[in-house]
Amino acid sequence: MSEPSDDILLRVEGLTTDLGGGTDGRRPVRVCDDVGFSIRRGETMALLGESGCGKSMTALSLMRLLPLSGRITAGSVVLDGTDLLALPEREMRRVRGGRMGMIFQEPQTSLNPVLTIGEQIAEAVQVHAGRGGSTGERRVVELLKAVGIPDPARRAGEYPHQLSGGMKQRVMIAMALAGDPQLLIADEPTTALDVTIQAQVLQLLKGLQRETGMAVLLITHDLGVVAETSDRLAVMYAGQIVEQASSEDFFAGPAHPYSRKLMESLPAPEKRAGELAVIPGRVPPLDRPFQGCRFADRCYRVMDHCPTTDPPWYEAGSDHRVRCLLWEHERPQFEPLDETAAGSSAAEGGSGDAEGGLVEVRGLKVHFPIQRGLFKRTIGHVKAVDGVDLTLRPGETLALVGESGCGKTTVGKGILQLERPTAGTVRYDGVDLAHVGGGRLRRYRKDLQIIFQDPFASMNPRMLVGDIVGEGLQALGIERGRDARRRRVAELLDQVGIGEQAMGRYPHEFSGGQRQRICIARALAVDPKVIICDEPTSALDVSVQAQILNLLKRLQQDLGLSYLFITHDLSVVSYLAHEVAVMYLGRIVEQGTTAQVLDDPQHPYTKALLSAVPVVDKERRRNIIRLEGDMPSPAAPPAGCHFHPRCPEALPECARAYPEARRPGDGRIVRCVRVEDTRADA
């Protein structure tokens, strides 16, 4: 692909980076191997791939911010005519944060907790723009205003812990912009954010790019984000770039089998009838020499000479290159991307209050006291859950969706009595668990289990996997004999695709997807009827996410399990759930079948959530409904409808009283004054 040299801002050629090795006799880990790409002025280039493939290490190599054991052994990085690898460290410091800025993946760990955000941005302004004193303070306020933070002068005096996740990410962007960079590297800038905040951050980056003309290198594993924001992309696998293309050409037809499998792994409503495509195995370790194609062991189109022949670059289009031997002689024929997507769209579930529920939640409230002073006097309450009604039916999945802080996880803990309800009932098997004491409650523990969001944090790092999975069997007296427990644990680990050999290993020896499978095995050990799944796929790559979703669906079909699936990923909801309940500030604002809620949302908040979801298919994209401000505090919810201060469709009466439940005639429940209630007695 020929590109005019004056249009290229960054040119990377043959970049090779090693970690470790040397004096200890072990082979170094080659995190970047002959990496090459270019970024034009003003364009967005996406770097995507699974975790462990070398995306972040590529970015750190460009910035020369490698760990102490890291070293660049070959290649060149030329930024607007300057070879960055040839610069002494003193000059490189001027480039970092100046001509080249970076937004790190986790803003909470990147910000200094003991300095105000104004002080931290002012430091960047002083170093890279040479402005101090009152001039620097004015520049700090300008930057905070530019990234959309309200009341920037006041916010500059606040500390990181006083800001929401979206605001912390905006502060990181402001710091990166302090030196007016030519190139901004954004490393997974929206991974931990809700879809509404993610949409705001991506829109912000686009707007800043238009105003300043800077180029952006976006590192992500979210194909929807790539499709909506990038001009060109590069796919990385095992430290090597295997495909480069314009975004339009790539999504019209990925040329590498790895890229195609990533696309097929995406959950979608039309794939509900079958299983999602998965990539067997995992990214190979990078501390070994490679011969042949690195993807050969996992490739569904592998040929005899793939494991022994290094694939060169082949032209797959005018702006499309691929490393794959399938392109050696002529354009290969691939199956259509949607071939495995046969089946109906969103499956129908029951209505919001139909009889026959396995778990019936009515008027659930979980309030936490706010205490002050020496005598811990209660001065108010955080209304985390404030009157929730849910019905979970046998063998079905109810998805609970909403922004972070709306109370989703607290609902799950309230159902399990891990947080004792302030009011309301939780009926299981005819018994109100909210009014059952600790001793009697123990007998119901085996029927109701939970899979936590962070699998590593929920396991004891000093216990073997066999003991972790079998702990519930022993605690609840289900299998008292050690040999019987081991047999049961071995069966469970085989059932979730980990294998009996995992019993003698520790949690840190497994990947994120494998750890989540272990947590699923632990939940299944006591033969539950209901499992609360709290964001079980939020931190996983799309290929690993597909494996977990397939496993959960298969277990539901085989064992008749019921799931309360807590998530903010609406693509997962469209694939797995039968019903959806949308939650905002402690209350359910819309509930119905998956098809009803996702295809024809009625509540303005549901519409805003769905409009913010980045999708690959252009025909499914909605105009983004931008919500102003952040979710109010549950300690002081607004009068009337809790959503009305942010609602683009608010009416004067919305501020007077919280809306009653309305039924638009299709069985769903919506709490909004704009929705017509079709009941005869309404």
Side-chain angles (χ1 to χ4, degrees):
M1 292 181 292
S2 62
E3 298 166 311
S5 58
D6 60 347
D7 192 38
I8 301 299
L9 175 66
L10 179 76
R11 189 183 296 277
V12 181
E13 294 180 346
L15 180 65
T16 303
T17 302
D18 289 349
L19 293 181
T23 56
D24 58 5
R26 291 184 296 179
R27 289 189 60 87
V29 177
R30 181 147 291 179
V31 290
C32 303
D33 192 0
D34 193 25
V35 169
F37 59 87
S38 59
I39 302 178
R40 303 183 181 105
R41 300 176 192 276
E43 83 169 351
T44 298
M45 169 86 169
L47 191 60
L48 63 95
E50 293 174 281
S51 296
C53 69
K55 305 187 299 295
S56 293
M57 280 300 167
T58 298
L60 294 175
S61 298
L62 301 182
M63 296 286 286
R64 286 175 54 183
L65 284 174
L66 292 167
L68 291 175
S69 64
R71 59 198 178 278
I72 297 172
T73 59
S76 65
V77 178
V78 179
L79 177 67
D80 199 17
T82 304
D83 186 354
L84 301 185
L85 302 187
L87 292 179
E89 178 59 24
R90 178 176 300 213
E91 292 186 34
M92 188 63 201
R93 286 177 192 158
R94 297 195 187 101
V95 174
R96 282 189 217 109
R99 296 169 61 190
M100 187 187 298
M102 185 165 180
I103 307 168
F104 293 94
Q105 183 169 352
E106 180 47 68
Q108 181 64 45
T109 57
S110 302
L111 293 171
N112 191 326
V114 299
L115 294 178
T116 66
I117 62 170
E119 290 171 330
Q120 296 183 62
I121 298 172
E123 183 181 9
V125 170
Q126 172 68 33
V127 170
H128 299 293
R131 303 187 196 179
S134 60
T135 305
E137 291 175 6
R138 285 196 298 272
R139 178 59 176 158
V140 168
V141 174
E142 287 173 8
L143 287 168
L144 289 175
K145 186 176 181 180
V147 298
I149 290 185
D151 196 1
R154 180 178 63 85
R155 290 289 190 180
E158 294 185 346
Y159 292 88
H161 73 271
Q162 295 176 278
L163 305 181
S164 67
M167 281 197 178
K168 283 197 279 272
Q169 194 62 282
R170 288 167 184 263
V171 170
M172 291 297 298
I173 296 172
M175 292 175 67
L177 294 175
D180 296 319
Q182 296 171 286
L183 173 67
L184 180 65
I185 301 174
D187 186 3
E188 300 274 12
T190 62
T191 295
L193 303 180
D194 298 311
V195 288
T196 50
I197 307 299
Q198 173 180 264
Q200 291 176 16
V201 170
L202 294 175
Q203 281 185 319
L204 170 63
L205 287 175
K206 282 183 182 177
L208 293 170
Q209 198 172 12
R210 284 193 299 269
E211 293 171 13
T212 64
M214 68 180 178
V216 175
L217 174 61
L218 177 66
I219 297 172
T220 184
H221 62 254
D222 190 324
L223 289 167
V225 169
V226 172
E228 292 198 1
T229 60
S230 69
D231 302 301
R232 293 169 60 242
L233 61 86
V235 181
M236 201 164 187
Y237 183 78
Q240 187 180 69
I241 291 179
V242 297
E243 184 169 0
Q244 292 190 53
S246 68
S247 293
E248 186 174 353
D249 287 349
F250 178 84
F251 288 105
H256 198 283
Y258 174 62
S259 306
R260 298 188 75 85
K261 279 297 181 185
L262 285 179
M263 290 277 287
E264 290 173 357
S265 298
L266 293 173
E270 64 271 14
K271 299 180 183 180
R272 291 181 63 98
E275 291 197 340
L276 297 171
V278 299
I279 307 175
R282 55 190 296 191
V283 178
L286 304 181
D287 60 351
R288 70 180 200 192
F290 287 98
Q291 182 181 16
C293 175
R294 301 177 183 203
F295 188 59
D297 291 344
R298 306 173 71 193
C299 184
Y300 69 106
R301 293 289 298 270
V302 65
M303 300 180 291
D304 291 342
H305 59 302
C306 290
T308 57
T309 306
D310 269 337
W313 284 107
Y314 295 101
E315 297 293 330
S318 59
D319 192 23
H320 197 165
R321 298 193 303 159
V322 61
R323 284 185 197 259
C324 180
L325 295 172
L326 289 171
W327 292 81
E328 190 171 11
H329 301 298
E330 58 184 18
R331 187 179 186 90
Q333 295 297 313
F334 289 106
E335 301 82 0
L337 281 173
D338 60 351
E339 186 181 50
T340 60
S344 63
S345 62
E348 296 294 322
S351 62
D353 64 347
E355 296 300 323
L358 181 62
V359 177
E360 296 189 352
V361 179
R362 296 292 178 264
L364 180 66
K365 294 184 179 183
V366 182
H367 295 176
F368 299 103
I370 303 172
Q371 297 176 326
R372 292 285 188 274
L374 180 64
F375 298 104
K376 300 296 183 184
R377 186 167 55 90
T378 299
I379 61 170
H381 288 85
V382 175
K383 299 177 181 179
V385 179
D386 198 26
V388 164
D389 297 343
L390 293 173
T391 299
L392 188 57
R393 294 176 178 76
E396 291 192 1
T397 299
L398 170 63
L400 189 59
V401 303
E403 293 173 282
S404 295
C406 71
K408 305 187 300 293
T409 296
T410 309
V411 168
K413 290 182 176 179
I415 291 173
L416 295 177
Q417 307 302 302
L418 298 177
E419 296 286 358
R420 295 297 274 186
T422 306
T425 61
V426 180
R427 291 200 168 274
Y428 170 74
D429 198 22
V431 176
D432 181 7
L433 301 181
H435 295 89
V436 172
R440 287 185 56 210
L441 186 61
R442 189 178 181 85
R443 75 178 68 170
Y444 298 103
R445 288 289 184 208
K446 69 176 292 296
D447 289 347
L448 297 102
Q449 289 290 302
I450 186 169
I451 302 168
F452 292 99
Q453 180 173 355
D454 186 339
F456 191 63
S458 67
M459 290 189 283
N460 189 330
R462 295 181 178 85
M463 288 178 65
L464 295 171
V465 165
D467 296 329
I468 290 171
V469 176
E471 189 175 18
L473 295 171
Q474 184 176 12
L476 296 177
I478 297 172
E479 292 285 2
R480 297 186 183 277
R482 181 172 178 80
D483 291 341
R485 279 201 307 274
R486 288 187 63 82
R487 285 195 298 271
R488 174 65 176 150
V489 169
E491 291 171 5
L492 288 163
L493 291 172
D494 282 334
Q495 192 173 18
V496 299
I498 292 291
E500 182 180 352
Q501 72 280 358
M503 293 174 63
R505 296 164 64 188
Y506 291 94
H508 73 269
E509 298 180 71
F510 297 89
S511 68
Q514 289 173 319
R515 285 197 286 262
Q516 198 60 283
R517 288 169 179 264
I518 293 168
C519 288
I520 293 172
R522 177 175 60 182
L524 291 173
V526 294
D527 292 324
K529 303 290 193 304
V530 176
I531 298 180
I532 310 292
C533 303
D534 187 6
E535 300 272 14
T537 63
S538 63
L540 304 179
D541 297 314
V542 289
S543 55
V544 180
Q545 173 182 267
Q547 296 173 14
I548 298 300
L549 293 178
N550 286 343
L551 173 62
L552 290 173
K553 177 171 271 194
R554 187 164 61 249
L555 291 170
Q556 186 173 58
Q557 293 168 347
D558 294 346
L559 305 176
L561 297 171
S562 298
Y563 298 137
L564 176 65
F565 203 94
I566 298 167
T567 185
H568 62 253
D569 189 333
L570 293 169
S571 63
V572 171
V573 172
S574 69
Y575 172 72
L576 192 66
H578 299 86
E579 287 189 44
V580 181
V582 182
M583 194 168 182
Y584 185 81
L585 207 64
R587 297 184 179 181
I588 304 296
V589 297
E590 183 166 0
Q591 184 174 356
T593 67
T594 304
Q596 289 169 349
V597 175
L598 300 190
D599 295 345
D600 182 28
Q602 297 291 304
H603 196 281
Y605 179 61
T606 311
K607 294 176 186 176
L609 279 183
L610 290 169
S611 75
V613 177
V615 293
V616 170
D617 189 350
K618 289 183 179 180
E619 296 181 0
R620 291 185 178 173
R621 291 177 191 165
R622 297 175 164 99
N623 292 325
I624 294 177
I625 300 171
R626 180 164 183 148
L627 299 180
E628 298 300 328
D630 293 312
M631 186 184 297
S633 169
C641 174
H642 293 348
F643 184 59
H644 87 266
R646 304 173 70 196
C647 181
E649 303 179 31
L651 298 171
E653 58 260 40
C654 295
R656 296 183 193 130
Y658 198 85
E660 295 292 327
R662 301 184 177 217
R663 300 174 185 274
D666 55 3
R668 86 174 86 189
I669 297 172
V670 187
R671 289 184 178 269
C672 178
V673 297
R674 284 186 173 273
V675 174
E676 183 180 355
D677 197 327
T678 60
R679 288 176 295 179
D681 58 345

